[in-house]
Amino acid sequence: VSFTVDSFTDQDVEAVAMLARQYFPEKGRASVETVGRILRYQYLMKECGQMPPSMVCRDREGKPVGFLGVTNIPFQYRDRVITGAYASDFLISESARNSLTALRMLKVFFSGPQDFSFTDDANLTSRQLWERLGGMTAYSQSIYYKTPVRPASFIARPIVKGRNRAFGITLCKSAFLIDFLMNRVNMPRFRPEQMNVTYQLLKPDDLINLMELHMRGYYLHPRLTKDGAQYYLGLIEMEEQYGKLFKAAVVDDRGYVDWFVYYLNSDKSCSVLYSESLKGREDLLFKSLLWHSYRQGGVELSGRLNPVQAGTWIGRNSLLLPGRFWAMVHTAQKELLADLLTDKAFLRRL
Amino acid sequence: MRTTRLTSGESMLQDVIHLIEKMLQVDGLNGESELIESGLLDSLALVNLMTTLEENYAIRITPDMIDFEHFSNPAAIFSMVQHCIQMKRSNSG
């Protein structure tokens, strides 16, 4: 066998950062140092757990040619605490693809001591590998949404692509004006004056409190500690290559309403990482999120739809895109597997 | 509906080789041709090959059978397929 699978260590950071920049376009926008700093933080801090470790695949000379990032997360599952191993940044360099490296790495990963393994960003190839090794696709967790924030600009965007610059500028300015006027003449898709909410900077304590309130009713959800919340918020702050970060806890006169985290990128698209509300306040969540992104100049919002949000405002008013990325699970425990595939499992890396 | 082919060992090996050649779009393989070390078979190709074998021989290749030695050459794959067929027969019999 030409390649070996080892634990990811500090010595591998630079080589893996270079690979990650090559294979993940969004990481390619950041420097090797920045990507390395994120990798070190994300996969080598004690908060990401000990076993199984993140893995590298090395060639004969010991050089990393593949990587599988692992974050071990304590989960509350019914009345016990279990460990979920979250896989991310899975990559194999072209030079190592003809030696079954991907299957070898996943086999090693699945054989770890975790109760279950999961990911929420598998592409079609990864999905096929997971399924062949006994994993399952969590279809209800694999639906993405896209919704306009500025409808006229949203429609103008695909028309402008590939056209000449003068036409593009004219159309975009016209669309921006239409969106502005629609808002002025009381035709907004949301009315902030009726919402009466306050946006607070999301802090670790808010996150813990909101998660605790939000997670009631789930069979399985992450057990968030203060260290865990700090780790997570620290990580998303480092990932500047995705755009400008906004993280807010939304409060009204009855207390917490919801919380959200999104990146606003340079083309004014808002990529939502998390947007969760307290039970029964889902519609308010997306209206508050839309208004927030509108004020930041956003044109569209996109993100992964939590299954419990499918019947709410966002589910009814968005373009739903199943399978942009797939949520995958793997476990040898049959009862747990059945629960993981329901919408009562909160399958996120928090 | 596909059915298990009751062929002699030799012709079934040829059948397996033919399937692999067709899938990998290569010619001239024999029972001992290296598939993994030679770089012919990558992870995705292996997944597709397993699906093809399952469909052609009405067998089920379980995750615990994905031992890379079983896929190192056509003869090893043929042995694994035979094993799966025998397992299926003993389970149904």
Side-chain angles (χ1 to χ4, degrees):
Chain A
V1 176
S2 328
F3 299 96
T4 53
V5 178
D6 283 329
S7 299
F8 174 59
T9 67
D10 206 64
Q11 282 76 46
D12 301 316
V13 168
E14 192 181 335
V16 173
M18 286 164 76
L19 279 176
R21 287 184 75 248
Q22 195 179 337
Y23 289 99
F24 299 122
E26 71 285 0
K27 285 189 167 47
R29 293 198 284 268
S31 66
V32 175
E33 292 72 26
T34 302
V35 176
R37 202 169 64 243
I38 295 169
L39 288 170
R40 198 173 273 116
Y41 183 96
Q42 190 169 2
Y43 300 117
L44 294 173
M45 296 261 293
K46 67 175 171 47
E47 283 75 13
C48 57
Q50 299 299 311
M51 290 298 288
S54 297
M55 295 164 205
V56 285
C57 175
R58 298 180 201 285
D59 64 12
R60 283 179 215 273
E61 282 84 46
K63 186 180 147 202
V65 288
F67 178 71
L68 176 65
V70 181
T71 312
N72 293 289
I73 304 164
F75 273 80
Q76 184 71 44
Y77 174 50
R78 297 185 186 269
D79 57 354
R80 63 193 169 107
V81 179
I82 62 173
T83 302
Y86 175 78
S88 49
D89 292 332
F90 186 28
L91 67 89
I92 306 290
S93 79
E94 272 161 41
S95 64
R97 283 184 192 171
N98 54 7
S99 296
L100 308 186
T101 316
L103 277 171
R104 283 178 213 273
M105 290 185 84
L106 278 179
K107 267 198 108 170
V108 174
F109 172 54
F110 292 149
S111 65
Q114 69 272 25
D115 293 282
F116 73 98
S117 310
F118 73 111
T119 186
D120 57 10
D121 63 355
N123 60 20
L124 194 57
T125 303
S126 288
R127 181 185 164 201
Q128 286 176 288
L129 301 180
W130 273 69
E131 287 189 332
R132 187 36 88 174
L133 290 170
M136 302 276 282
T137 303
Y139 288 99
S140 65
Q141 312 262 359
S142 304
I143 297 169
Y144 285 77
Y145 65 84
K146 185 183 269 197
T147 195
V149 177
R150 286 181 157 75
S153 301
F154 180 78
I155 293 166
R157 211 178 240 197
I159 300 170
V160 166
K161 273 186 187 164
R163 303 292 181 94
N164 76 50
R165 193 176 150 80
F167 173 79
I169 292 171
T170 308
L171 188 64
C172 285
K173 283 191 171 174
S174 307
F176 190 84
L177 186 63
I178 293 168
D179 286 323
F180 175 78
L181 291 173
M182 278 167 72
N183 203 23
R184 278 289 183 192
V185 298
N186 208 19
M187 284 175 61
R189 301 171 70 236
F190 30 82
R191 294 182 174 81
E193 65 279 7
Q194 292 178 359
M195 290 171 54
N196 199 22
V197 296
T198 309
Y199 298 96
Q200 296 179 352
L201 183 68
L202 184 70
K203 294 183 183 136
D205 285 335
D206 294 317
L207 191 54
I208 292 168
N209 292 336
L210 279 156
M211 285 287 280
E212 201 175 306
L213 293 167
H214 174 69
M215 292 304 162
R216 290 174 189 164
Y218 281 96
Y219 296 151
L220 178 134
H221 60 81
R223 261 174 75 100
L224 196 61
T225 60
K226 188 149 186 171
D227 283 348
Q230 275 169 342
Y231 164 78
Y232 170 69
L233 291 174
L235 177 63
I236 56 175
E237 271 169 27
M238 291 174 88
E239 296 187 309
E240 293 165 341
Q241 73 273 17
Y242 293 110
K244 188 176 178 188
L245 175 70
F246 293 96
K247 48 181 184 174
V250 182
V251 179
D252 69 2
D253 51 4
R254 288 162 56 196
Y256 286 122
V257 176
D258 58 62
W259 61 281
F260 55 75
V261 175
Y262 71 87
Y263 291 104
L264 175 68
N265 69 24
S266 55
D267 73 350
K268 303 296 179 192
S269 296
C270 303
S271 301
V272 182
L273 287 187
Y274 294 95
S275 54
E276 305 296 340
S277 69
L278 303 192
K279 197 169 168 52
R281 310 191 86 181
E282 290 86 0
D283 285 356
L284 203 48
L285 158 65
F286 284 103
K287 288 179 180 178
S288 66
L289 174 55
L290 275 167
W291 176 241
H292 191 279
S293 59
Y294 181 87
R295 288 200 303 180
Q296 307 307 325
V299 169
E300 67 179 56
L301 273 177
S302 61
R304 187 153 70 102
L305 194 69
N306 183 333
V308 299
Q309 296 165 347
T312 64
W313 188 93
I314 193 75
R316 295 191 301 271
N317 292 278
S318 301
L319 189 61
L320 297 182
L321 310 160
R324 190 173 148 208
F325 294 104
W326 299 98
M328 308 299 302
V329 295
H330 182 283
T331 179
Q333 301 173 36
K334 283 186 180 170
E335 190 191 352
L336 174 59
L337 179 63
D339 282 339
L340 285 170
L341 296 173
T342 70
D343 59 7
K344 295 289 184 187
F346 188 84
L347 280 181
R348 299 293 179 102
R349 69 173 172 178
L350 266 176
Chain B
M1 186 183 152
R2 292 172 192 275
T3 54
T4 305
R5 294 174 191 184
L6 298 173
T7 55
S8 68
E10 185 58 32
S11 63
M12 192 170 152
L13 173 60
Q14 289 307 317
D15 199 18
V16 168
I17 291 172
H18 180 65
L19 272 179
I20 298 167
E21 285 179 335
K22 196 173 162 193
M23 216 205 75
L24 299 178
Q25 297 184 322
V26 292
D27 287 319
L29 294 181
N30 60 48
E32 302 307 315
S33 301
E34 265 302 332
L35 298 176
I36 299 173
E37 288 292 316
S38 64
L40 279 174
L41 206 56
D42 64 15
S43 293
L44 193 57
L46 177 58
V47 166
N48 292 334
L49 175 62
M50 284 189 272
T51 306
T52 305
L53 292 169
E54 285 179 336
E55 287 176 354
N56 272 272
Y57 297 103
I59 54 172
R60 167 105 178 94
I61 302 169
T62 55
D64 57 299
M65 293 171 74
I66 305 173
D67 181 335
F68 304 113
E69 287 180 5
H70 288 154
F71 294 93
S72 57
N73 58 49
I77 295 172
F78 165 66
S79 299
M80 187 207 58
V81 169
Q82 275 194 320
H83 174 72
C84 289
I85 292 171
Q86 279 166 8
M87 290 271 288
K88 192 185 164 201
R89 281 182 186 153
S90 61
N91 286 341
S92 61

